[in-house]
Amino acid sequence: MKFRLRARLTAEFLGSAFLVAAVVGSGIMGERLAGGNVAIALLANTIATGAALLTLILTFGPISGAHFNPAVSLAVAIERGLAWRDATAYIGVQCAGAVFGALVAHLMFGVRWYSFSSHPRHGGAQVLSEFVAAFGLMSVIWGCSRLREDATPFAVASYIVAAYWFTASTSFANPAVTIARCLSDTFAGIRPADVPGFIVAQVAGAMGATFLFRWLTPVGAGAGEQSASLPASGPAVLVPFEQSDAVKAP
């Protein structure tokens, strides 16, 4: 079934909003209930985020592809899976939805509807962590969507759960989420001054994985020798959806 751009943008807005609401809301809840134990708070934050991401991909994926991430939409557009005009719209609604989700999370927990974060996340280790987080996320997306399509939602959610713990930055890996979290002076927040470095690293990591998988999965790769050419496989991120005729593979 082919979905109009308006429906796809609505799906991206809602998915991004729910994702950030899960990140920020579970961070607040975890911190309140952990009694000062940061590890327990992070574990609660991790489980809630991974579970929410999986369900959101399964829910909205068939409509929009379930990007929820400007770096993902940019990568898909580069691989001709999404028209540039549509990708620009995707990125806009993802950022808007992410900010909306953070504000709603604040209201649900009775805190000020927005507050600039004072949580510092800076330095070379943090920036490198975000590059690794985004590189790994995009690698999982491209590898699974091209070669093990049905496993993509589960693989992506599992990777994010793991990356919360093996990266020093707790794996933001998403420019829209990063922007939204700078508006939350809570457990999940990031100081606004540290946002640009995170976003640059995230985009660089996503592009690095995209160009790597352009080489790893050439035409003819994959099960049954089906074409893994870039225009054909782009729409499978994160799960298959109907693209416009203007960007379909010849």
Side-chain angles (χ1 to χ4, degrees):
M1 180 177 180
K2 183 179 294 186
F3 291 89
R4 295 180 179 274
L5 179 61
R6 183 177 299 178
R8 288 186 279 135
L9 294 180
T10 300
E12 286 295 305
F13 179 90
L14 290 173
S16 300
F18 272 110
L19 176 60
V20 173
V23 172
V24 174
S26 64
I28 296 172
M29 178 70 83
E31 189 173 40
R32 287 181 178 180
L33 298 179
N37 189 323
V38 179
I40 296 298
L42 181 60
L43 180 61
N45 196 203
T46 302
I47 294 171
T49 300
L53 182 57
L54 174 59
T55 58
L56 291 170
I57 293 171
L58 293 173
T59 301
F60 295 113
I63 301 172
S64 68
H67 299 184
F68 313 146
N69 187 333
V72 172
S73 296
L74 177 61
V76 176
I78 288 173
E79 302 297 68
R80 295 174 57 196
L82 193 65
W84 281 105
R85 182 183 62 183
D86 292 358
T88 301
Y90 266 46
I91 291 170
V93 299
Q94 287 159 1
C95 292
V99 170
F100 181 74
L103 303 185
V104 169
H106 294 160
L107 295 176
M108 288 194 294
F109 284 91
V111 300
R112 190 166 185 262
W113 65 284
Y114 87 93
S115 54
F116 291 107
S117 177
S118 58
H119 190 159
R121 299 179 188 266
H122 61 87
Q126 294 280 316
V127 172
L128 175 60
S129 292
E130 280 304 293
F131 176 88
V132 171
F135 184 93
L137 174 61
M138 208 66 229
S139 294
V140 170
I141 290 172
W142 284 130
C144 287
S145 65
R146 291 173 178 174
L147 305 174
R148 297 203 58 183
E149 198 172 89
D150 57 339
T152 306
F154 304 94
V156 169
S158 297
Y159 174 79
I160 290 299
V161 168
Y164 256 75
W165 289 87
F166 77 72
T167 63
S169 61
T170 66
S171 183
F172 286 47
N174 184 328
V177 169
T178 304
I179 292 169
R181 288 171 69 167
C182 84
L183 299 175
S184 181
D185 194 17
T186 63
F187 180 81
I190 175 175
R191 192 174 58 177
D194 300 327
V195 168
F198 267 47
I199 291 177
V200 170
Q202 290 157 2
V203 173
M207 294 305 100
T210 296
F211 294 125
L212 172 64
F213 275 80
R214 177 179 290 181
W215 172 71
L216 284 178
T217 55
V219 175
E225 290 302 307
Q226 294 179 351
S227 173
S229 63
L230 303 179
S233 62
V237 179
L238 293 174
V239 295
F241 71 101
E242 290 290 340
Q243 64 191 65
S244 66
D245 292 337
V247 293
K248 280 189 176 179

